[in-house]
Structures are given as C-alpha cells and as structure tokens.
Amino acid sequence: MHFFESKTSDELDHHHLIRVYTFSVNGTAYDCHVHQYQGITGIRYGHYHNFYGITGPAIALQDGTHFHLLDGIVELNAYNTSRSGALVLSAKNDGLIRELHQHSYSGYSSIGMSYEPW
C-alpha cells in the first residue's frame, strides 16, 4: 500500500487536505498494477467532500521500489458537519460555504510500504 497527501485546488476561496492510504494489492514495480483508494477531505468551512479513485500504474525507481500518480475530482459537498446531516443549501450568512462545488487534486504517492516478508 502507499500513502498520499495533497491539497485540493482552491474553489470559492478555500481548499481541503487529502490524506489516504491506498488499498493493498500484490504487485511489483514492473507489472503496471494499480490501487484503489477512497476517503473524505479534511473538514473546513462546515463541509467536506467524498473522493475515490484508482491510482495510475506503478512507476518504477532504479532501486526496485515504485510509486503511483493519483488525480481526480472530489464529489460535490452534499452535507455540512451538523449532527442532523442537513443538506448544505441554507442561505444563512454564518461563514460556512454552502454553495455546491468540487475540487481537483493530483500528486504522487509515497513508495510502497507494509510489504510481506519473504
């Protein structure tokens, strides 16, 4: 599996932090394997975004390790952080961003981690 951390694009004068570990798969630096991942962005301004995807194929390094490209667009912000799960369509002017919007993200994962011993 791999770790990935990135900031999303700025939309409506804010961004979110993404931190995720990919799901583990069997693979090497040379077999073009991919990983699935999913999560939620960091919560800012009273909302968050779900995201999921599949990494790009393994990119080999000279020492036999590898990393992956991750990029995508987070889902629309559908809910605020209230316990009621109210839809984010209120007209209140309380500093929370309630307009429906999305962010993009991209970057590279860490090299592989948590390998099974030989």
Side-chain angles (χ1 to χ4, degrees):
M1 71 178 165
H2 301 263
F3 179 70
F4 174 72
E5 180 177 54
S6 181
K7 288 183 181 178
T8 65
S9 62
D10 285 322
E11 305 297 335
L12 300 176
D13 295 323
H14 77 285
H15 64 269
H16 296 267
L17 181 62
I18 290 178
R19 289 185 176 142
V20 66
Y21 289 96
T22 64
F23 292 105
S24 61
V25 299
N26 292 326
T28 70
Y30 308 104
D31 66 0
C32 295
H33 72 276
V34 295
H35 298 262
Q36 294 180 356
Y37 61 92
Q38 66 183 24
I40 62 169
T41 64
I43 298 172
R44 287 187 68 172
Y45 303 104
H47 72 273
Y48 61 90
H49 302 265
N50 295 314
F51 64 91
Y52 60 92
I54 298 174
T55 68
I59 300 169
L61 296 171
Q62 287 184 344
D63 64 1
T65 61
H66 69 279
F67 61 95
H68 297 267
L69 172 65
L70 287 81
D71 65 343
I73 298 173
V74 300
E75 293 183 359
L76 290 170
N77 54 307
Y79 297 95
N80 66 22
T81 58
S82 72
R83 290 187 177 188
S84 69
L87 285 173
V88 187
L89 299 174
S90 170
K92 288 183 182 178
N93 187 9
D94 54 10
L96 300 179
I97 295 174
R98 299 178 189 282
E99 293 178 56
L100 293 178
H101 64 281
Q102 294 176 296
H103 302 266
S104 61
Y105 61 92
S106 67
Y108 293 95
S109 73
S110 67
I111 61 171
M113 52 185 21
S114 298
Y115 290 102
E116 293 288 331
W118 290 88

